[in-house]
Each structure stands twice: as structure tokens, then as C-alpha cells.
Amino acid sequence: MRILVTGGTGYIGSHTCVQLLERGDDVVIVDNLCNSEASVVESLREITGRAPTFYPVDIRDRDALEAVFAKHEPEAVIHFAGLKAVGESVAKPLEYYENNLSGTLVLLGVMRAHDCRKIVFSSSATVYGTPASVPIREDFPTGGTTNPYGTTKLFLERILIDLQKADHRWSVALLRYFNPIGAHESGKIGDNPTGTPNNLMPYITRVAKGVLPMLSVYGDDYPTPDGTGVRDYIHVEDLAAGHLAVLPKLDEPGVHIYNLGTGVGYSVLDIVHAFERSTGVKVPYRVVPRRPGDIAECWSDPSRAETELGWKAVRTLEEMCRSSWNFEKSKA
Ligand code: NAD
Ligand code: WQD
């Protein structure tokens, strides 16, 4: 297939591009490199032996995007491009709404102009807000997002649903990711946030490396087995495979919604201990007050994706920890 991947040099996009290239798809990446590096393109070639076509383009730049579509006429788009830092989105709501909403609106307009009506959208478990219960199923209500980042995902899901309602030729996959961690086994690509990481695993790997002194565990008084927050951590390679699994579904016009998670919840301390066990490296931590906006527990019911797509997360927590550490160690 000819597939356009927006945000393809980013964390999840790059792992998805590896699998697309490995199975022989023609991959065209557009990414403005605001949160990734062009060197990822070379890493993709090293890993797969095939090079994607790369354009350092901002998806809000309609003329540039139009030129990419005119040259490649993609059959489908996997749309990862967006800003994703929860805390930053609270401080810079206009930038988040502008980038994530305008970028997607421009993309959809250009797709329509080129008769490309198949899109896989990176959504998030954040659209469920504070769920009434766990595990979370796709038919749970969405809404109640607690930050502008999450609200961009909620709004974009709605825009895509409205678009499909108005023009039944569209095929829209809304993939609601839980907590991706881990890295490609080669150690050549992974999650590489600039500055101090907000997410748990990149923080842990930097503490393990000695770049940061200590992990702050945000609260141990949640109504969970050990008091720390519980999440559904999924290996990024399993998550990437979910994107390939959903592509055939796009032959059926409609809106296809899937949770991509493992269905298992682990606490913050479970992750710390699993990391120590699987790498042999200690992670010093202290407990500090809860982080505003965090929920106690969040994990998926991933059974719809297994039943309808034949997709299931298979990699273990140990593999997630080991590969994250392997990536951190191999960074310059
Ligand atoms: P990432 O920041 O590593 O990748 C996103 C990429 O998009 C980056 O390479 C960035 O440079 C690019 N980008 C941003 N705005 C752009 C624009 N206007 N034009 C072109 N490129 C642009 O993030 P990720 O973790 O790989 O996430 C990918 C997608 O998945 C995002 O939409 C994110 O919101 C979503 N998501 C991520 C998580 C997670 O925990 N990582 C969870 C749920 C959903
Ligand atoms: C996981 C757990 C923290 C850092 C976020 C977004 C969500 C999605 C994934 C995009 C929580 C605890 C964390 C630290 C800690 N992204 N923690 N110390 O908050 O579940 O989800 O990323 O869509 O929208 O909200 O992930 O990795 O930040 O936190 O104790 O230094 O680790 O409190 O319980 P989260 P996270």
C-alpha cells in the first residue's frame, strides 16, 4: 500500500513505519520535526533495509501537503502528528488547539481533494476522562477530559465521526492508545522526549542512567492495591502492530473504534520493580503528592480489537522495561 504517515519520525510513528517498511508498503512520512529528529529516517533504513520518503513538512502548510499528495497519491493516511504533552497543553492551550485541530483539518481537506478517504487516527484513553469503572470498553462514554491536549483528541474524534456521517465513503479508525512504553529491539529508535520527561518510563530510564537523581512517585494514597496509580502499559511494537492490523478494516467505510492496550493494569511501583528486576539497575524513588489531573486507575478491555482485527498485545512487561533501557543506554 502507499501510506502517508504524519508524525512518522516520532515515537509511535517510527515504530509503525518499521513494520510497514518490513512488510513492503511504500511509506511517505511528513513531520515538521518539532518533537523528533530527521536522523530517525536513517535509523528506519538501518533497521529495515528500506528507506521511507521523508518530507520535513508541517501538516498545517496546505500547499506543501498538497504537493506531497499530488506526487504520491496515498491510499491511506496514518495520522500521528500532534503535540502531546499534557502539562504543556494546560500552559499553552492555543498552541495545542491550533496545532492539533488546524493540522488535522488541513490534512482532511487535502485528503478529500485527492479522493483519499481512509484514515487511522491516534486517539487516546484520555478521551474516557475519569472512567466509571475498569476495564474500559469502547462503548464507555467519552468526555470530561481534564486538559487541552485530551480535549483535542476528543474534538478530533468528533470531527472525524461527523465527517464520516456526512460522507459515507470515509473509513475512519479511531485507535485509543493506553500507555505505550518500550522501544524497538535494535535500540535505534524509542521515546526520546526533550527536556525533563513527563511520562513515567522515560523518567525511570533517565534516573537509571544517572541523568536525573530520583523518581518522584505521584501519590501512594490512591484506592489501588499499593496506593500508586495503575495504568495499562503496552509495548510500542505491539501498539505499532495494531495500526497494521486495522488497515484492512478501512476497506469497510465507517467509523472503527478500538482500544489498544493489554487489558492488564500495573501500578507505578510495579513498574519500578519490574524495571529493576529485568535490568538489574536500581531506581531510587520518593513518594510526593499526587499530580493534578491524574486518575487512580485506567486499563482497557482490548477484546474488540482481538475479535475483529485478530490483534493482541503479546510482549511482556519485562520486554517493555528491557527495551526502554536498551534504548536509553544506546543514546549518545
Ligand atoms: P511524538 O511527539 O513522538 O510524535 C509526534 C510527531 O508529530 C513528532 O515527530 C512531531 O515532530 C510531529 N508533529 C507535531 N505537530 C506536527 C505538525 N503540525 N506537522 C507535522 N508534524 C508534526 O508523539 P508519539 O508519542 O509518537 O505520539 C503520536 C501520536 O499518538 C500523537 O498524536 C499523540 O497524541 C498520540 N498518543 C500518544 C500517546 C503516548 O503516550 N505517547 C498516547 C496516546 C496517544
Ligand atoms: C503514568 C503513571 C503517574 C511520572 C499520559 C497522558 C495520556 C497518554 C499517556 C497521550 C501515573 C505516575 C508519572 C512520574 C509518576 N498520552 N508517574 N512519576 O498520565 O497515565 O498518561 O500519557 O495521549 O493522555 O495523560 O502517563 O506516564 O505520565 O504516568 O509517579 O515522574 O505514573 O502519576 O500514575 P498517564 P504517565
Side-chain angles (χ1 to χ4, degrees):
M1 263 182 113
R2 284 187 314 281
I3 302 184
L4 182 83
V5 182
T6 75
T9 47
Y11 173 44
I12 306 168
S14 59
H15 288 82
T16 304
C17 286
V18 165
Q19 295 181 19
L20 293 170
L21 289 164
E22 279 174 343
R23 73 167 201 183
D25 287 325
D26 288 330
V27 176
V28 178
I29 295 175
V30 293
D31 197 303
N32 69 358
L33 303 176
C34 70
N35 198 36
S36 58
E37 297 192 359
S39 61
V40 168
V41 177
E42 177 55 19
S43 301
L44 294 176
R45 198 194 56 73
E46 286 170 14
I47 293 169
T48 67
R50 297 185 61 222
T53 307
F54 172 61
Y55 295 97
V57 157
D58 190 307
I59 57 168
R60 291 168 294 177
D61 181 344
R62 190 181 298 268
D63 292 344
L65 199 58
E66 174 66 37
V68 173
F69 270 75
K71 186 153 187 275
H72 297 279
E73 295 296 346
E75 294 160 74
V77 173
I78 307 183
H79 177 33
F80 295 103
L83 299 176
K84 64 159 182 179
V86 169
E88 185 182 60
S89 79
V90 176
K92 297 180 177 174
L94 284 187
E95 283 78 357
Y96 270 67
Y97 287 119
E98 214 277 310
N99 190 75
N100 293 3
L101 297 184
S102 302
T104 306
L105 291 173
V106 170
L107 172 67
L108 293 171
V110 174
M111 286 178 69
R112 183 172 60 181
H114 285 264
D115 276 330
C116 174
R117 292 187 176 79
K118 293 179 174 181
I119 184 167
V120 180
F121 175 62
S122 294
S123 191
S124 168
T126 195
V127 299
Y128 295 113
T130 305
S133 62
V134 278
I136 302 171
R137 285 196 320 269
E138 290 86 348
D139 59 359
F140 277 26
T142 57
T145 48
T146 53
N147 56 78
Y149 163 72
T151 307
T152 68
K153 293 296 176 194
L154 190 69
F155 286 174
L156 286 168
E157 281 204 358
R158 189 56 195 260
I159 288 167
L160 286 159
I161 290 167
D162 286 346
L163 175 61
Q164 204 285 329
K165 203 180 284 171
D167 180 347
H168 293 318
R169 290 172 297 176
W170 281 84
S171 297
V172 173
L174 305 178
L175 300 185
R176 295 176 179 158
Y177 312 156
F178 282 68
N179 287 60
I181 59 172
H184 189 264
E185 55 176 11
S186 65
K188 289 180 191 291
I189 53 173
D191 192 6
N192 194 15
T194 44
T196 305
N198 301 300
N199 293 118
L200 180 62
M201 185 53 84
Y203 205 105
I204 287 179
T205 58
R206 288 185 196 187
V207 171
K209 201 177 186 180
V211 177
L212 294 167
M214 170 164 323
L215 172 70
S216 296
V217 174
Y218 297 137
D220 65 355
D221 55 354
Y222 284 105
T224 60
D226 67 15
T228 67
V230 170
R231 298 289 183 276
D232 185 341
Y233 297 92
I234 174 169
H235 197 301
V236 67
E237 291 203 64
D238 282 333
L239 188 69
H243 295 74
L244 276 71
V246 84
L247 285 172
K249 195 79 188 167
L250 297 185
D251 290 340
E252 288 168 37
V255 177
H256 310 288
I257 305 180
Y258 297 101
N259 286 337
L260 296 184
T262 64
V264 179
Y266 289 106
S267 74
V268 178
L269 293 182
D270 287 337
I271 299 296
V272 169
H273 296 139
F275 186 90
E276 292 182 336
R277 245 190 347 265
S278 47
T279 66
V281 184
K282 287 297 272 182
V283 179
Y285 70 86
R286 67 194 162 134
V287 176
V288 300
R290 294 180 180 191
R291 182 172 66 178
D294 274 354
I295 57 178
E297 48 186 14
C298 171
W299 71 87
S300 67
D301 176 342
S303 56
R304 182 189 284 182
E306 184 173 4
T307 310
E308 295 186 12
L309 307 179
W311 171 91
K312 190 178 182 341
V314 292
R315 292 167 178 84
T316 63
L317 183 57
E318 277 65 32
E319 288 172 278
M320 300 182 213
C321 293
R322 259 201 310 274
S323 61
S324 297
W325 179 227
N326 188 33
F327 175 66
E328 183 71 54
K329 282 190 300 183
S330 49
K331 276 188 330 199

